[in-house]
């Protein structure tokens, strides 16, 4: 990967992305076989430093680290007690003293993992920072799509919902565009970021038009915790116009897959019948791919950081 850390997808070369996906693919097979590879990170320490809530990401980094033999420590820090910059730097100094090798960071401030990366000796992995990026989510999404569709290039991917607050959307836009997919964003005008044009995506405000001919429909959570004002009307109205049900899905290709990074607001951005549909929904598969992708990332960073890890 020729990087010491994994802080964002933006700027990664398609070959680097491909290499991570290929390695992750081998970990899918290993996981399915029930085997582990506990010698790879034996004697190394992985710290999960989460300043924001998480279910899937934290657990899958923990599983990934353990399956590769690392000692895994989970630190959950309540954001309310954090005095941003200064405390982060204090934290960095503490972690350095503990000689941590791999540091997985989630923070509500965009850029926090980058700051830590400058201050710690460990390899830093961004597990989601503010509205900026969530690189391992985009990698696991890409792996899920590639396994289902056989490729990424040329696919039409509609990313729908709260794009404005979504680090998942940002990482996916960078990754999918780099790999030659055609990316659309579909949302009410209040939930489209100003930089959408710079990101080179087509913007739609109508689900029927945005989903027309799509191979992949990626739904996003309405992130009320990041909203200051009334950016969306009532949940009922939002569902009426932007919630994915089978009627709206009918505009996409017949074999289009449905994705959601979780946690889902059922009945707000997605109807339960679609979310749980065994044929169209790949939401559970995304979770499985998450473990494999995180194993691949830990493996690659361990090789790149031989001196430290
Ligand atoms: N779990 C994802 C994230 O942390 C998506 C979400 O929270 O809506 O970004």
């Amino acid at each position: 990967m020729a990087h010491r850390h994994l802080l964002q997808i933006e700027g990664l070369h398609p070959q680097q992305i491909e290499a991570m996906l290929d390695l992750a693919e081998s970990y899918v097979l290993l996981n399915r076989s029930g085997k582990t590879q506990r010698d790879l990170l034996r004697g190394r320490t992985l710290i999960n430093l989460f300043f924001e809530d998480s279910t899937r990401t934290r657990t899958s980094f923990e599983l990934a680290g353990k399956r590769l033999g690392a000692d895994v420590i989970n630190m959950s820090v309540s954001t309310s007690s954090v005095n941003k910059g200064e405390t982060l730097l204090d934290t960095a100094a503490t972690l350095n003293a503990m000689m941590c090798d791999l540091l997985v960071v989630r923070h509500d401030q965009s850029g926090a993992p980058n700051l830590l990366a400058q201050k710690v000796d460990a390899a830093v992995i961004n597990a989601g920072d503010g509205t900026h990026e969530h690189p391992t989510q985009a990698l696991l999404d890409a792996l899920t799509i590639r396994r289902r569709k056989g490729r990424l290039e040329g696919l039409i991917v509609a990313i729908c919902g709260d794009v404005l607050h979504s680090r998942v959307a940002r990482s996916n836009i960078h990754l999918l565009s780099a790999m030659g997919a055609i990316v659309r964003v579909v949302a009410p005008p209040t939930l489209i970021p100003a930089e959408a044009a710079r990101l080179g995506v087509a913007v739609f405000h109508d689900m029927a038009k945005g989903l027309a001919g799509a191979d992949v429909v990626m739904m996003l959570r309405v992130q009320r915790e990041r909203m200051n004002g009334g950016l969306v009307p009532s949940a009922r109205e939002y569902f009426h116009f932007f919630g994915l049900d089978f009627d709206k899905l009918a505009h996409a290709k017949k074999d289009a897959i449905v994705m959601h990074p979780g946690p889902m607001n059922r009945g707000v951005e997605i109807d339960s019948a679609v979310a749980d549909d065994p044929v169209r929904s790949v939401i559970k598969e995304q979770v499985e791919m998450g473990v494999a992708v995180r194993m691949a990332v830990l493996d690659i960073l361990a090789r790149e950081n031989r001196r430290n890890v």
Side-chain angles (χ1 to χ4, degrees), residues 52 56-57 106 127 134 137 167-168 221 223 225-226 260-263:
E52 251 192 7
R56 283 152 289 270
T57 306
R106 168 167 291 190
H134 192 349
Q137 177 74 45
R167 52 200 179 203
V168 173
R221 182 173 66 91
Q223 301 198 23
E225 79 275 24
R226 296 190 215 281
H260 193 302

Side-chain angles (χ1 to χ4, degrees), residues 75-292:
M75 284 174 67
S76 297
V77 193
S78 134
T79 357
S80 57
S81 67
V82 169
N83 183 358
K84 289 180 205 155
E86 204 181 24
T87 307
L88 253 192
L89 300 185
D90 284 348
T91 310
T94 307
L95 295 170
N96 261 348
M98 288 177 181
M99 293 194 232
C100 150
D101 301 293
L102 291 150
L103 182 62
V104 178
V105 187
R106 168 167 291 190
H107 203 285
D108 66 343
Q109 301 287 324
S110 302
N114 299 58
L115 181 64
L116 272 174
Q118 291 163 25
K119 302 289 172 190
V120 294
D121 298 327
V124 176
I125 300 160
N126 178 5
D129 62 330
T131 59
H132 174 226
E133 280 225 29
H134 192 349
T136 56
Q137 177 74 45
L139 287 164
L140 75 87
D141 289 341
L143 184 63
T144 309
I145 298 172
R146 207 179 72 164
R147 287 175 64 87
R148 280 293 177 129
K149 298 285 169 198
R151 66 187 208 282
L152 296 171
E153 199 179 346
L155 293 179
I156 299 177
V157 182
I159 303 179
C160 314
D162 189 356
V163 183
L164 180 66
H165 301 105
S166 179
R167 52 200 179 203
V168 173
R170 243 163 232 96
S171 287
N172 263 299
I173 289 169
H174 289 304
L175 190 151
L176 293 166
S177 308
M179 302 309 280
I182 300 149
V183 185
R184 301 173 180 170
V185 291
V186 191
T190 48
L191 295 181
I192 295 282
E195 86 234 65
R198 178 185 72 82
L199 293 172
V201 294
V203 177
F204 293 83
H205 302 305
D206 179 287
M207 288 287 273
K209 289 187 185 135
L211 262 56
D215 298 282
V216 177
V217 181
M218 187 182 290
M219 300 309 296
L220 300 172
R221 182 173 66 91
V222 176
Q223 301 198 23
R224 294 206 179 268
E225 79 275 24
R226 296 190 215 281
M227 291 185 194
N228 297 320
L231 292 179
V232 290
S234 66
R236 218 171 124 209
E237 203 176 329
Y238 184 86
F239 181 76
H240 178 72
F241 289 107
F242 292 98
L244 186 68
D245 53 15
F246 279 115
D247 286 347
K248 296 192 189 79
L249 184 58
H251 295 280
K253 286 209 178 112
K254 276 197 171 52
D255 61 351
I257 55 169
V258 174
M259 309 180 80
H260 193 302
M264 285 185 270
N265 290 313
R266 290 171 179 265
V268 180
E269 71 263 1
I270 191 163
D271 185 37
S272 275
V274 176
D276 299 332
D277 186 272
V279 179
R280 312 298 293 275
S281 167
V282 295
I283 296 171
K284 288 199 192 96
E285 208 168 309
Q286 288 175 268
V287 179
E288 181 192 354
M289 295 307 125
V291 180

